[in-house]
Amino acid sequence: MEKQVAVRRLDLGYIVRPAAEAGTDRPRVEPVLGYLVRHEHGLLLFDTGIGAVDPATESHYRPRRRPLEAALADAGLTPADVSVVVNCHLHFDHCGGNPLFNGTPIVVQTTELAAARGGGYTMDALVDCPGATYRELTGEAELWPGVWIIPTPGHTEGHQSLVIRQADGTVVLAGQAHDFASDFASEHMAHRATQDGLEPPLPAYRPWMERLTAFDPRRVLFAHDSSVWEPSVPDQAAHPTPTPMSSCRATGLPLTDTGTEQRNSRER
């Protein structure tokens, strides 16, 4: 019998994206969301909220922070209860609470960590904070049984998403792979039309959509959209079990361990 894996969304505040970035004639207020995954192997935290930034970035995005400690307390937890942190990427509104996790494994793609340390990308104090213990991945991995990390580059080259097998279907924590559930829906339908053999022209979709679709997701959740994507016609067949390309089993996380060092930066 499949053990229940619980997913809980955390409200970590919001940012105000300027009109020029939002692609509209007015600013857009976007939630900043994290997720807790309770698994028999431990407690996973996906994204850690909005961190401290320089005055220019503060003025640009006008963030309103909800402390991660408060969000965890609402779930009856503290940072010490978290077994592993996974950041979809390392912009300041996704890794802001990482300094709370001294010694706790933080799982990132190698390309993402390298970019974050390259300057002009994020806030250095959030990346190489005291006690930061990175576990680097190059590509896909099964972190715990039924919990996969899947590279989903686009917003950043090292962006990654989390796939979680639950008793009632698969959940994808997509981070900022798409800004909105509607964007994911559009690309999902483009992939479906292509698979159905429709003749071009058809809309493009990102190469990793093929991989996420193979997990037959029942729900897809996002970092900056409270909406949830669900399939229009759920498949009632048994869930397929995708074969991961690599594996890093729960206990010990046998991945590259990188220490801390300082540099310079910004970003969202």
Side-chain angles (χ1 to χ4, degrees):
M1 182 174 184
E2 201 166 0
K3 294 196 174 166
Q4 182 62 36
V5 179
V7 177
R8 177 179 177 132
R9 185 158 66 185
L10 301 179
D11 171 11
L12 299 176
Y14 61 87
I15 61 171
V16 182
R17 193 172 296 282
E21 288 184 16
T24 64
D25 60 355
R26 61 187 64 192
R28 182 174 67 226
V29 181
E30 299 180 1
V32 173
L33 304 169
Y35 295 89
L36 283 170
V37 180
R38 192 181 292 276
H39 187 279
E40 62 177 323
H41 283 243
L43 188 69
L44 182 152
L45 177 61
F46 186 79
D47 281 356
T48 62
I50 308 170
V53 296
D54 57 54
T57 304
E58 189 79 17
S59 174
H60 189 76
Y61 290 108
R62 296 182 282 161
R64 291 297 177 267
R65 299 167 178 83
R66 183 173 187 231
L68 179 58
E69 299 96 321
L72 290 173
D74 281 353
L77 300 166
T78 71
D81 296 313
V82 174
S83 309
V84 60
V85 172
V86 177
N87 294 123
C88 67
H89 66 292
L90 293 172
H91 286 166
F92 79 89
D93 52 334
H94 296 264
C95 70
N98 283 16
L100 295 172
F101 298 99
N102 187 323
T104 301
I106 301 171
V107 180
V108 297
Q109 294 291 318
T110 295
T111 52
E112 184 68 17
L113 186 57
R117 286 175 166 164
Y121 186 88
T122 189
M123 298 294 149
D124 292 350
L126 300 177
V127 176
D128 284 317
C129 47
T133 306
Y134 286 103
R135 303 291 194 253
E136 297 183 42
L137 290 177
T138 302
E140 179 177 329
E142 187 175 12
L143 183 64
W144 292 336
V147 178
W148 289 269
I149 291 175
I150 306 296
T152 48
H155 179 67
T156 71
E157 185 60 30
H159 192 283
Q160 60 187 9
S161 299
L162 198 71
V163 175
I164 305 148
R165 179 80 74 215
Q166 290 187 296
D168 63 343
T170 297
V171 174
V172 175
L173 303 183
Q176 207 170 344
H178 289 92
D179 285 342
F180 304 112
S182 58
D183 294 337
F184 181 91
S186 294
E187 289 200 19
H188 185 270
M189 290 305 299
H191 173 263
R192 179 176 169 184
T194 301
Q195 295 302 108
D196 286 346
L198 266 66
E199 292 293 325
L202 289 171
Y205 58 87
R206 315 202 193 189
W208 45 256
M209 182 62 74
E210 185 89 33
R211 182 59 177 146
L212 288 188
T213 301
F215 286 93
D216 188 23
R218 295 305 193 267
R219 289 173 294 281
V220 181
L221 298 92
F222 303 89
H224 292 304
D225 188 359
S226 298
S227 300
V228 177
W229 178 89
E230 294 182 334
S232 53
V233 183
D235 182 4
Q236 297 304 315
H239 311 321
T241 303
T243 303
M245 291 185 281
S246 62
S247 156
C248 58
R249 293 285 175 183
T251 52
L253 289 162
L255 302 167
T256 304
D257 186 357
T258 36
T260 61
E261 80 185 56
Q262 302 279 166
R263 284 190 182 52
N264 208 347
S265 52
R266 354 175 15 175
E267 184 80 62
R268 73 252 167 255

